Amino acid sequence: MDVTLLGTGAPQGLPRPGCPCAACATAVGDEARAATALLVDGVLLIDLTPGPAFAAARAGRSLAGVRQVLLSHPHDGPAMEVPAGLPQPGRVADGRELALLDGHRVRALAVDGPGTGYEISGADGERLLYLPPGAAPAGVGNATGRAGGAGAQGAAGPYDLVLLDVLARPDALARLRAGGLVDAATDVVAVHVDHDVPPGPELHRRLAAVGARAVADGSSLVVGEYHAVPDLPRRTLVLGGARSGKSLEAERRLAAFPDVVYVATGGTRDGDEDWAQRVSLHRERRPSSWRTVETCDLVPLLEAGRPGGEAARPGGEAARPGRDDGKPEGEAVRPGTEAPAPGAESAGPGKGAAGRGAGAVWPGAEAGGPAAGAGAGRAADASPLLIDCLALWLTHVMDEVGAWDDATWEAGGRRALRERTDALVAAVRATRRPVVAVSNEVGSGVVPATPAGRRFRDELGRLNAAFAAECEQVLLVVAGQALALRG
């Protein structure tokens, strides 16, 4: 089954008409995109794009053989023409199936917004899923639910190709992965691309981070054909200064994956309204499906994904069902430092899936396939971890070992801290869980005025360097822009 993308942009296209934003100003060449439209094997046209006949001709295709034109969503962009000789566009009712004479079968799937998704099967059994802009499939997100909530999807297995609005709805991709409809061999292509993400390298970087890609208008895809996708890093460290956007970058990297465990090391601060506001902002930003663990006992969580690894140590804190404390990255500072203040409280004590062929590993796949353990009740599993942040973890550990007192530090505090940080780094090296960790970069500012401040800065620098050495990817976030230091 051959799919030609006559357009890959949002309904208004990219650049948007009359829009002065930087993304629209730089959307030129292959990064300029007309409204998304698909031509399937030259006989089925899904959605319309401006000048579809010319768009097809530029791609080396013709619309002369089109026998069916289907619409997926109410159109709010530029007026669309229906070329002479084409059938009048229509929509298939949710749950209904349309059989074409050439062997294609089209099933309409319910989505959680205006429009309809389409599952298209070829004569040889290839399958693709196409979703309208800003939509996710309804009734998907468990191990057995079929898109649209009709029938059992498990027998059909994952799709060969999925075309969806990855940038606006990463949670749609997470639902498909949780339901077993996308695996490591599924080709995930972003469509309905709008001006919310800068075109060019940044667009492709963000998509690669979640196992997806973008192609230019006029590209043809062969459904079921192997396409190399970037290997997703198992361990990523995201560094940045205060309010740099490092937590947002970390959250973005896992937004398209199911069953993420958010590890909050910041604890609570009674009576601190500013801290409570930061907690609220982080909570609102994260997907509601993520679970939260509030603890500084990180080693058991890292060991949980290993064969024979324990879910938690005695006294270690497990995930609290239904709770989302939303702890943000720590940015309160001691006078003369740029790092989180020592003494911040903590509330707790201390799938390489094979898919259907060669493909990238996506977080959580090692638990036994894309749908393994989807839903509540997963313990001692390989769910991705987002740790926010290492600076507050270090603050907690330095409190416990008495690192702020010079005499205690020299009498054994230094050695005790080294043992704790070495244990954490060893657990990162051995973990089989996907991990995205956040930490403060504090080595670029003024020298702290106090011995305690200098000690904390030095130890955080050592921890960041040791942690980064065990990560496949290391990012530095400056002014909201992620710079790749490794990977």
Side-chain angles (χ1 to χ4, degrees), residues 16-45:
R16 289 191 176 195
C19 180
C21 78
C24 287
T26 55
V28 297
D30 286 346
E31 299 300 333
R33 304 175 185 276
T36 297
L38 283 64
L39 179 62
V40 182
D41 284 337
V43 299
L44 174 63
L45 181 61

Side-chain angles (χ1 to χ4, degrees), residues 226-478:
Y226 169 71
H227 177 81
V229 295
D231 288 330
L232 300 175
R234 182 182 301 282
R235 290 153 293 212
T236 299
L237 176 62
V238 182
L239 298 166
R243 287 293 195 261
S244 62
K246 58 186 180 293
S247 286
L248 179 60
E249 173 66 26
E251 292 162 12
R252 186 185 292 135
R253 300 184 74 78
L254 291 176
F257 299 98
D259 298 322
V260 174
V261 177
Y262 179 92
V263 185
T265 62
T268 58
R269 300 182 182 182
D270 294 338
D272 190 333
E273 294 183 3
D274 178 67
W275 184 256
Q277 184 177 13
R278 296 187 186 195
V279 166
S280 178
L281 290 174
H282 277 245
R283 182 187 301 119
E284 293 171 2
R285 185 168 79 200
R286 294 200 304 269
S288 60
S289 61
W290 287 12
R291 294 176 285 159
T292 295
V293 177
E294 185 185 346
T295 184
C296 283
D297 200 9
L298 302 181
V299 172
L301 291 171
L302 292 165
E303 292 177 341
R306 292 164 44 191
E310 299 177 0
R313 293 175 177 169
E317 188 170 320
R320 303 175 182 180
R323 175 170 179 165
D324 188 349
D325 293 294
K327 298 301 178 288
E329 60 187 76
E331 292 174 355
V333 296
R334 291 175 65 93
T337 75
E338 293 182 344
E345 296 180 5
S346 173
K351 299 177 222 145
R356 289 162 287 127
V361 176
W362 56 270
E366 287 194 338
R378 293 182 67 181
D381 60 3
S383 298
L385 292 179
L386 195 162
I387 302 171
D388 196 354
C389 69
L390 295 181
L392 288 175
W393 176 86
L394 180 65
T395 297
H396 174 80
V397 174
M398 291 182 75
D399 283 343
E400 290 192 333
V401 302
W404 313 116
D405 180 77
D406 291 344
T408 305
W409 176 249
E410 296 299 335
R414 186 199 305 271
R415 182 178 64 255
L417 180 63
R418 292 288 188 276
E419 291 173 353
R420 296 285 291 275
T421 56
D422 288 349
L424 175 62
V425 171
V428 172
R429 180 187 303 123
T431 190
R432 299 182 68 84
R433 300 184 79 154
V435 177
V436 176
V438 177
S439 189
N440 290 75
E441 173 51 53
V442 298
S444 301
V446 298
V447 177
T450 65
R454 292 192 292 273
R455 184 171 301 152
F456 179 78
R457 180 203 59 179
D458 294 347
E459 294 304 325
L460 182 58
R462 293 188 182 97
L463 174 61
N464 287 344
F467 200 104
E470 304 301 335
C471 293
E472 290 85 354
Q473 188 166 66
V474 181
L475 302 174
L476 175 65
V477 181
V478 180

Side-chain angles (χ1 to χ4, degrees), residues 181-206:
L181 305 180
V182 167
D183 71 359
T186 301
D187 189 8
V188 179
V189 176
V191 290
H192 313 301
V193 177
D194 209 345
H195 64 173
D196 299 315
V197 177
E202 178 64 11
L203 168 69
H204 299 288
R205 183 192 72 81
R206 291 195 192 183

